[in-house]
Amino acid sequence: MIADMEKKFLVVANWKANKTVEEARAWMKEFYAEERWNWLKNNLERIEVVFAAPFTLLHFFEAPHFDAHLASQDISVFSTGPYTGEVPAELLKDLAVRYCLIGHSERRKYFGENNALIEKKLDQAIKNDITPIICAQSLEEIPANIRNYPADKLVIMYEPSEAISTEGNYHPENPETVKRTLEDWQKKLNLDCRFLYGGSVNPENCKLYIVNCNLLSGFVVGHASLDPEEFFSIIKQCILPLSS
Ligand code: PGA
């Protein structure tokens, strides 16, 4: 069984390649308005909010008052060294990055990432105590080396690429398909890890996934996370009944 702490519902804001420092500051100010701040504080045991910010903003998020966790949207296959342009796990860890998206479909599509690369990224993350959020559309996209690691160190996200919002238009996957897919993956992988869903999650549809999919432990929210009000509305609907 996944430990109690891990039963928190994980809500990841994937800002992708968006937001200047000024825009992030304005977002935070609105998101952490007093009543929201109080609500979040009262629900910290049930919800974990994670910001998958672009590399340029990770430092900005390090502020000491900050209660949510940080994720990077990618990680290097290399450790520190002469790899111009790369951001290795050791440097991410230094900025208190706790999670890392690995193998997002946009990285597979635009940067040619394949499972061989993703296996190396997974290794780098785990070696540095960064929890990987492995993004996959199908079982075949889940790297084989997940078997080398304990399930409680892994998070797997089902993200059918056709469900990802385009230019602000949502094309969500049917909740029944998400449910069946997660059940199938858990059975075939035989892994007691956390499973997330990502793809057009928004305030109108998030509850449908929660109600339908027992195995669901969280969301990765792209477009709807760019607006603090929409993102907060999703978070509020994600409270799970605590098991006794
Ligand atoms: P979306 O993106 O919520 O905008 O569909 C999700 C993702 O790609 O992580």
Side-chain angles (χ1 to χ4, degrees):
M1 274 300 275
I2 294 169
D4 264 8
M5 238 199 77
E6 308 288 342
K7 282 187 195 152
K8 289 180 183 189
F9 204 80
L10 194 60
V11 193
V12 182
N14 179 10
W15 282 0
K16 307 191 178 185
N18 290 296
K19 298 215 184 284
T20 62
V21 172
E22 256 335 284
E23 286 166 349
R25 194 168 281 131
W27 191 102
M28 282 292 145
K29 196 161 169 230
E30 194 179 335
F31 183 73
Y32 282 119
E34 197 179 342
E35 68 281 6
R36 293 188 185 149
W37 174 250
N38 288 336
W39 187 94
L40 284 164
K41 265 200 324 216
N42 289 334
N43 288 286
L44 279 178
E45 285 182 11
R46 302 166 79 184
I47 287 276
E48 182 176 358
V49 179
V50 173
F51 291 102
F55 288 133
T56 49
L57 287 175
L58 292 177
H59 203 266
F60 164 80
F61 276 100
E62 257 196 320
H65 65 272
F66 198 62
D67 67 314
H69 292 132
L70 264 184
S72 59
Q73 298 173 11
D74 188 25
I75 193 167
S76 178
V77 295
F78 296 110
S79 292
T80 49
Y83 306 106
T84 304
E86 286 296 278
V87 184
E90 293 84 347
L91 302 189
L92 294 171
K93 201 176 161 192
D94 189 45
L95 289 181
V97 167
R98 189 176 284 215
Y99 294 92
C100 171
L101 298 180
I102 294 184
H104 191 283
S105 62
E106 286 155 9
R107 300 229 38 102
R108 296 183 198 248
K109 179 172 166 192
Y110 299 118
F111 303 95
E113 289 198 9
N114 56 25
N115 278 15
L117 209 68
I118 288 160
E119 288 198 13
K120 290 186 189 154
K121 293 188 176 200
L122 180 56
D123 265 336
Q124 289 295 327
I126 295 208
K127 265 202 302 209
N128 288 281
D129 293 322
I130 295 174
T131 303
I133 300 176
I134 301 154
C135 313
Q137 301 192 64
S138 62
L139 267 180
E140 291 66 42
E141 287 191 347
I142 297 177
N145 64 338
I146 57 163
R147 298 267 163 229
N148 301 348
Y149 309 108
D152 63 354
K153 300 241 181 291
L154 302 167
V155 180
I156 294 176
M157 164 171 64
Y158 172 48
E159 53 132 17
S161 62
E162 66 281 0
I164 292 177
S165 72
T166 44
E167 292 165 19
N169 296 314
Y170 294 122
H171 334 276
E173 181 61 282
N174 184 325
E176 190 53 35
T177 309
V178 175
K179 173 187 158 79
R180 273 191 277 109
T181 304
L182 297 187
E183 284 172 357
D184 181 57
W185 287 11
Q186 198 205 31
K187 198 163 143 219
K188 292 191 174 134
L189 294 167
N190 194 20
L191 267 185
D192 192 17
C193 69
R194 284 180 285 176
F195 288 99
L196 314 185
Y197 166 69
S200 294
V201 175
N202 64 56
E204 278 69 52
N205 63 24
C206 60
K207 202 79 189 182
L208 287 176
Y209 294 107
I210 297 171
V211 170
N212 267 285
C213 318
N214 282 345
L215 277 176
L216 193 70
S217 299
F219 293 123
V220 174
V221 184
H223 182 76
S225 73
L226 296 174
D227 180 289
E229 200 169 321
E230 289 207 5
F231 188 54
F232 192 77
S233 163
I234 294 171
I235 291 171
K236 266 190 108 165
Q237 297 181 63
C238 290
I239 287 290
L240 290 178
L242 287 178
S243 59
S244 49

